[in-house]
Amino acid sequence: MCDSVKYFGVWIDDKLNWKIHIDYIYSKLAKVVGIFYGLSHKLFYDCLKILYFIFVHSHILYGVKIYAKTYTSYFDKLLK
């Protein structure tokens, strides 16, 4: 039996608590954080802001109306 399935880029689990999807987004964004830290001393703020909206913000917003209603303890991982 399948515990979760990826549908249009959103992981849907059998309990609909969205923990798998949030963990998936978190792992993708954790890779980008290190890159941003390295670039923060080399690029202007406006360039960093554009890169943030391209690589981070778009991932968080995609499907947020669906998975933002989950437990606060799960969603806080993305907010911090």
Side-chain angles (χ1 to χ4, degrees), residues 28-43:
K28 285 177 81 171
L29 298 181
K31 298 171 188 172
V32 177
V33 169
I35 295 169
F36 270 103
Y37 181 75
L39 291 175
S40 66
H41 304 293
K42 297 178 176 139
L43 294 177

Side-chain angles (χ1 to χ4, degrees), residues 5-72:
V5 64
K6 189 174 185 180
Y7 187 70
F8 287 115
V10 176
W11 282 96
I12 302 170
D13 57 5
D14 57 349
K15 297 175 186 162
L16 291 177
N17 63 11
W18 307 106
K19 184 173 181 347
I20 294 173
H21 180 70
I22 291 171
D23 289 342
Y24 172 72
I25 293 174
Y26 181 81
S27 67
K28 285 177 81 171
L29 298 181
K31 298 171 188 172
V32 177
V33 169
I35 295 169
F36 270 103
Y37 181 75
L39 291 175
S40 66
H41 304 293
K42 297 178 176 139
L43 294 177
F44 294 113
Y45 175 76
D46 292 337
C47 293
L48 289 172
K49 189 174 171 183
I50 291 170
L51 291 174
Y52 166 80
F53 279 105
I54 292 171
F55 293 109
V56 176
H57 196 253
S58 60
H59 287 292
I60 293 172
L61 280 188
Y62 184 74
V64 74
K65 288 188 177 194
I66 297 169
Y67 70 84
K69 301 287 184 191
T70 189
Y71 298 111
T72 307

